[in-house]
Amino acid sequence: MHVPLIFARDVAPWIERFARVGFAAKALLYMTVGALAALAALGQGGSAATDQHRAMQWILRAPTGRVLLGVVAIGLVGYAVWRIVEGISDPEGHGRSAKGIALRVRSVVTGLIHGALAISAGRLVLGQRSDGSGSREAQHWTARALATPGGTVLVMLIAGAFVAYGAYQLYCAYDAKLSKKLSFGSLSSPTRTVVIGISRVGIAARGIVFGMIGVLLFRAANDGNPRQAGGVARSLAELFQWGTGPFVGIAVGLVAYGAYQLLNARYLRIDVD
């Protein structure tokens, strides 16, 4: 079965290095998002409705934050380029079947999304104001879609795609054989079991968050109200209604997803000519 880890064959060495830095950048962002959400839920300040943009702002305020955020921006650029190249060149040989095209399109879209995140990070590093918010962007594009003929159906289809992706992530968390996709080297068998377990928790938590984004989009389409749409921040705000305990579990799961990205940065097999 296919799992959300990717073998990139015949990749230029510089792209491989950037890709690994990109995984590390994603790890830092997700760990920050999860930590901020958990602290807010426990009454330690801040808002449970946080996302990657707010995580960037928090990183910028940390000691040497501008340098660290600059590294994050560079890493995200590298990751974006890698995913776009992967989608275009099809190193895994997905082909032109419906599934293969869908996987390649997903790679390109993922690259574009992370390219936009890299721009937001770069603007903050340069001292420029960044009003980027996943939820505001989701509402903006949902409003534009709903204003077009057939827009309601389109938004519902996109909502269904998010829900399906969230369900797929939950399935992968349960069934994915991650040890076959990572080169663990000298790690002992008990250590591998632990890190794979942490990865499963992280993948499941992210699946729940993305599934809720789909639910929000469906509500927006059904009610004709784009303000009901949202990104990660709005999804977390909605999930907070489940109660402090479950929400903290999801937030900690996002930290675990960050750890999973660190595993990708270190152990993902990326074969280079």
Side-chain angles (χ1 to χ4, degrees):
M1 61 162 289
H2 178 77
V3 297
L5 287 169
I6 300 167
F7 287 82
R9 302 185 182 91
D10 303 328
V11 180
W14 67 270
I15 294 182
E16 178 204 0
R17 288 191 287 269
F18 271 124
R20 295 193 186 282
V21 175
F23 279 119
K26 285 185 65 180
L28 178 60
L29 290 179
Y30 270 99
M31 286 180 168
T32 304
V33 168
L36 291 176
L39 289 173
L42 294 173
Q44 301 301 311
S47 171
T50 188
D51 60 10
Q52 294 95 326
H53 294 91
R54 294 180 183 177
M56 290 177 189
Q57 293 169 354
W58 186 89
I59 292 170
L60 185 64
R61 293 193 295 268
T64 68
R66 193 172 300 277
V67 173
L68 184 57
L69 189 58
V71 174
V72 168
I74 293 171
L76 290 174
V77 169
Y79 182 82
V81 170
W82 179 56
R83 294 306 299 265
I84 292 171
V85 169
E86 176 191 60
I88 294 173
S89 64
D90 191 24
E92 285 195 77
H94 293 306
R96 298 187 178 182
S97 65
K99 180 180 178 181
I101 292 174
L103 290 172
R104 295 173 67 180
V105 169
R106 187 187 72 176
S107 292
V108 173
V109 171
T110 298
L112 293 174
I113 290 172
H114 285 83
L117 284 174
I119 292 173
S120 294
R123 286 176 61 87
L124 288 172
V125 169
L126 295 175
Q128 300 176 15
R129 182 175 178 179
S130 176
D131 295 324
S133 167
S135 293
R136 283 196 293 271
E137 290 172 1
Q139 292 171 4
H140 169 74
W141 289 108
T142 301
R144 294 191 63 174
L146 291 176
T148 63
T152 298
V153 174
L154 175 61
V155 173
M156 284 189 172
L157 289 174
I158 295 173
F162 270 100
V163 172
Y165 180 71
Y168 174 68
Q169 291 280 277
L170 291 174
Y171 171 72
C172 288
Y174 170 76
D175 193 57
K177 298 175 176 61
L178 303 182
S179 60
K180 293 184 178 181
K181 301 298 182 180
L182 300 170
S183 179
F184 283 118
S186 60
L187 287 184
S188 65
S189 180
T191 301
R192 293 184 188 185
T193 300
V194 171
V195 297
I196 289 174
I198 292 172
S199 299
R200 292 180 189 276
V201 170
I203 294 170
R206 186 170 179 267
I208 292 171
V209 172
F210 273 72
M212 181 55 71
I213 291 175
V215 171
L216 294 171
L217 279 172
F218 180 82
R219 291 179 185 172
N222 188 58
D223 297 342
N225 181 7
R227 291 184 175 274
Q228 295 199 45
V232 172
R234 182 68 183 272
S235 175
L236 287 173
E238 189 72 17
L239 290 170
F240 186 62
Q241 305 304 314
W242 290 9
T244 301
F247 181 80
V248 170
I250 293 170
V252 172
L254 292 179
V255 176
Y257 186 78
Y260 166 64
Q261 295 303 300
L262 284 179
L263 289 176
N264 279 309
R266 175 62 179 86
Y267 296 113
L268 178 65
R269 295 187 180 102
I270 302 179
D271 299 328
V272 183
D273 278 346

